[in-house]
Amino acid sequence: METSPITSRIEIDGRPATAEQLAFLAGFPYGHFTAMQVRGRRTRGLEAHLRRLDAASRELFGFGLDGGRVRELVRHALGADVADASVRVYVFQPEAGQAPSVLVTVKPPAEDPDHPQRLRAVRYLRPVPHIKHLGGFGQKHHERQAQREGFDHALLVGPDAVVAEGAIANIGFFAGPTVVWPEAPMLHGITMRLIEGALAERGTPSRRAVVRLAEVASYDGAFVCNARGIAAVGWIDGVELAVDAERMRGLMELYDSIGWDEI
């Protein structure tokens, strides 16, 4: 199969998106999505992505979403010429009471961050955090403000300075041999789920716990993870965190050991 570079493709229910459809979404951003990195027409955690889409569709619209249909639409959007890409699957409902539509975007593949991340803590929690939903003005606002201040990303923090999640990623902390995930309102991301499962298979402990902003320096390190991969956290606000290269290398090797599923 020959492959070609891409700029962007947008399809809705297997057809090129029209200006009218995109205008509807811009004016009524009610829906949900999942994001994945595709390499060789494969992705990690495909079944978890499909379950996420189905569960959110049932909660938001009262309709299930067939995983086979989603896979077919993603394959169609990739076409015969694209093997590596950043793919997003959006689900929205053009009219109340009707089955939802599926929008697939295909863009060039994204690479892992190449340096320890600087995070800016902000007092904000996403509404309905267990759903990866549209209309994320608040988190995007804080993300851009953080980047204007020289940070890589925003870190969302709730009442009593309890750490929740990154604006576009989950965050985990090292405490000895244990990985600690924040106990707070957040999205249980696909990459986080995959890492949890891989840790359990290797007998490495992981747990949930309340993590307060004032406590982050007491941990042995931290990392962020999303569909793009894993990166160490070097700073939160002005606090420098330990970056254990060996521990991070082990975590990345663990992630690399997770199998890829054919779309």
Side-chain angles (χ1 to χ4, degrees), residues 161-164 173 180-183 209-216 219:
V162 172
V163 173
F173 295 87
V180 177
W181 306 97
E183 183 66 65
V210 173
V211 178
R212 289 186 168 82
L213 196 57
E215 302 167 347
V216 295
Y219 285 91

Side-chain angles (χ1 to χ4, degrees), residues 2 19 33 38 89-90 92-93 101 122 128-130 134 151 199 203 220 222 228 235 250 259 262:
E2 293 186 3
F33 72 102
V38 174
V89 179
Y90 297 86
F92 67 101
Q93 193 175 41
S101 287
V122 298
V128 198
H130 66 285
L134 306 184
F151 294 87
L199 288 170
D220 298 321
R228 294 187 178 189
W235 293 266
E262 185 173 356

